[in-house]
DNA sequence: GCAAATTAATGATTTATTCAAG
DNA sequence: CTTGAATAAATCATTAATTTGC
């Protein structure tokens, strides 16, 4: 399988060892930026060449133009790290519980702990937890917005009214607490790691961060 | 200051131990997936108690429901000893070079390497690199947009016009390559770490991720 | 009953906005 | 004012439900 697809890929910088200007000239069909005239002051001794280049340039991109038939047949195989997180009932239950409990943007520690716990019910990573909260929050919000718009339809008692039954606040006032938690400081943790070996155990709470090419496919 | 503020705060979930079963009742409004393979039905032994709870009732405010919950409630006080990254000239030079080289959204490996390299010119973390590219990209874009708008304003006077000469593509078509790089897979890496001690060495390429409560407040 | 085709959810990324440090 | 940092909104992409034709 020759992977001749490695066209752009961070654009040459990681590939070209010696040349740095023309190397990526034709790599991309579009946007052939020429920075030649730009005289960026040489960053002294910054040898880009020493950067290791992502040898696996695979990126399936271009998604096989010819093959679309294999819909279900593919050995779903599910090699580690290929598919997206598919939460189990228990995991979702816990997450929703936490959400209802008021959690909106868990911090590092919390994510770590949640991940660790949820890991007992299925494979999961910190980013999944992180994303889940972001998505859930956003979607609850838009759901609510949509419904409020729908309610606007019947101006009957639309206004400020709504003496606010305590019941509703759970779904309607959710926003509040969010603003409370805002502007926190996010800290990042990064560690090189091969996604393959990610299936070790809960002990290892190292998840991957940053984009890393799939390299599988 | 009694920390009576911890009203919601992850809201008790980090405190209450036993209850947890009924919570997951309404798991999903739609599409209730039933994972047959999942034998566990009840969240069984999810002992939240083992979660450490954020002792610091962090979150500023407390006041909760009052006024303008404008988007970002601020009081995120300055983190203790946490100043923001202040890039050196060399660092910026390299980053800009990479940017001009076509890099827009470096992946994990790339960020790691860049960080490592830039670390030689001053303290830096992976997230700084990540953010730098995001911000630079966004700001170049809006700068360009502004300028194009400005040109539209007085098409007659100032601007040298130059109706789309190939030269402009450098600034105008920038977007293209981005689309090429799109839809990558991002991987996350997380490692518990105290931000205080972050000032160790360049050796340590561990950056923090995820929100971590200030805990100093 | 069953898969292929379609649709609905939702996980994962990117972009736009915002806040505040310097 | 510039720009690092953070979050929310918009978007893409993949999986599960659901429908449909046999």
């Amino acid at each position: 399988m020759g992977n001749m697809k490695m066209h752009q890929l961070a654009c040459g910088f990681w590939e070209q060892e010696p040349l740095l200007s023309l190397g990526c000239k034709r790599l991309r069909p579009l946007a052939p930026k020429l920075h030649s005239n730009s005289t960026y002051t040489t960053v002294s001794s910054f040898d880009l060449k020493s950067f290791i280049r992502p040898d696996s340039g695979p990126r399936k991109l271009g998604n096989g133009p010819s093959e679309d038939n294999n819909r279900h047949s593919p050995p779903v195989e599910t090699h580690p790290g290929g598919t997206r997180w598919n939460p189990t009932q228990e995991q979702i239950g816990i997450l929703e519980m936490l959400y209802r409990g008021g959690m909106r943007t868990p911090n590092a520690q919390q994510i770590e702990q949640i991940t660790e716990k949820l890991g007992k019910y299925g494979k999961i990573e910190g980013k999944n937890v992180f994303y889940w909260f972001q998505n859930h929050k956003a979607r609850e919000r838009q759901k609510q917005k949509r419904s409020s718009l729908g309610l606007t339809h019947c101006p009957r008692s639309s206004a400020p009214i709504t003496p606010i039954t305590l019941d509703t606040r759970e779904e309607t006032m959710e926003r509040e607490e969010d603003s409370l938690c805002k502007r926190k400081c996010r800290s990042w943790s990064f560690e090189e790691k091969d996604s393959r070996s990610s299936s070790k155990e809960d002990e290892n709470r190292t998840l991957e961060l940053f984009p890393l090419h799939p390299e599988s496919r």
Side-chain angles (χ1 to χ4, degrees), chain A:
Chain A
M1 295 327 193
N3 50 1
M4 43 183 67
K5 272 97 170 288
M6 48 160 67
H7 33 317
Q8 32 81 358
L9 174 39
C11 187
F13 261 115
W14 306 91
E15 320 223 74
Q16 37 81 333
E17 299 80 356
L19 54 156
L20 166 24
S21 31
L22 1 161
C24 49
K25 208 58 176 295
R26 267 308 126 192
L27 288 176
R28 276 156 312 144
L30 299 173
K33 60 200 43 205
L34 1 139
H35 39 317
S36 52
N37 55 1
S38 309
T39 58
Y40 35 83
T41 60
T42 62
V43 184
S44 59
S45 60
F46 181 66
D47 50 344
L48 287 158
K49 59 170 79 63
S50 62
F51 278 19
I52 71 162
R53 58 166 175 152
D55 51 358
S56 59
R59 194 109 335 60
K60 74 347 187 20
L61 231 168
N63 67 26
S66 56
E67 54 176 336
D68 52 2
N69 306 353
N70 54 355
R71 272 299 168 55
H72 68 302
S73 64
V76 204
E77 204 19 70
T78 75
H79 49 66
T83 50
R84 69 179 196 183
W85 172 54
N86 199 10
T88 65
Q89 278 288 45
E90 293 79 12
Q91 291 175 330
I92 290 192
I94 293 171
L95 288 169
E96 286 189 343
M97 178 175 66
L98 290 170
Y99 186 86
R100 277 204 301 274
M103 182 171 288
R104 302 261 290 172
T105 312
N107 62 31
Q109 282 186 28
Q110 294 170 323
I111 287 180
E112 179 196 16
Q113 294 159 24
I114 294 171
T115 302
E116 196 173 336
K117 288 297 173 188
L118 297 189
K120 293 175 179 171
Y121 306 102
K123 196 171 186 314
I124 189 174
E125 295 179 86
K127 71 168 187 174
N128 304 131
V129 173
F130 175 75
Y131 284 143
W132 188 90
F133 276 97
Q134 286 222 138
N135 282 319
H136 197 69
K137 179 168 53 173
R139 275 152 186 162
E140 281 297 312
R141 199 176 289 156
Q142 67 181 353
K143 188 186 299 178
Q144 159 187 333
K145 179 169 292 181
R146 254 205 313 275
S147 86
S148 77
L149 279 174
L151 288 173
T152 312
H153 255 231
C154 62
R156 186 60 59 149
S157 58
S158 60
I161 315 327
T162 327
I164 303 164
T165 63
L166 292 173
D167 297 338
T168 63
R169 74 173 170 207
E170 187 173 7
E171 288 142 33
T172 323
M173 304 302 284
E174 200 94 12
R175 188 70 185 275
E176 304 244 343
E177 30 195 304
D178 181 39
S179 51
L180 293 181
C181 303
K182 245 135 189 188
R183 287 297 143 209
K184 276 176 290 196
C185 106
R186 164 174 309 222
S187 42
W188 296 64
S189 180
F190 170 53
E191 174 176 312
E192 185 170 6
K193 172 147 167 286
D194 195 22
S195 57
R196 274 91 152 59
S197 59
S198 61
S199 58
K200 33 190 72 166
E201 40 203 324
D202 310 84
E203 268 313 277
N204 178 12
R205 62 278 294 275
T206 329
L207 338 168
E208 271 96 67
L209 169 61
F210 295 137
L212 193 51
H213 40 267
E215 83 173 336
S216 59
R217 171 95 67 124

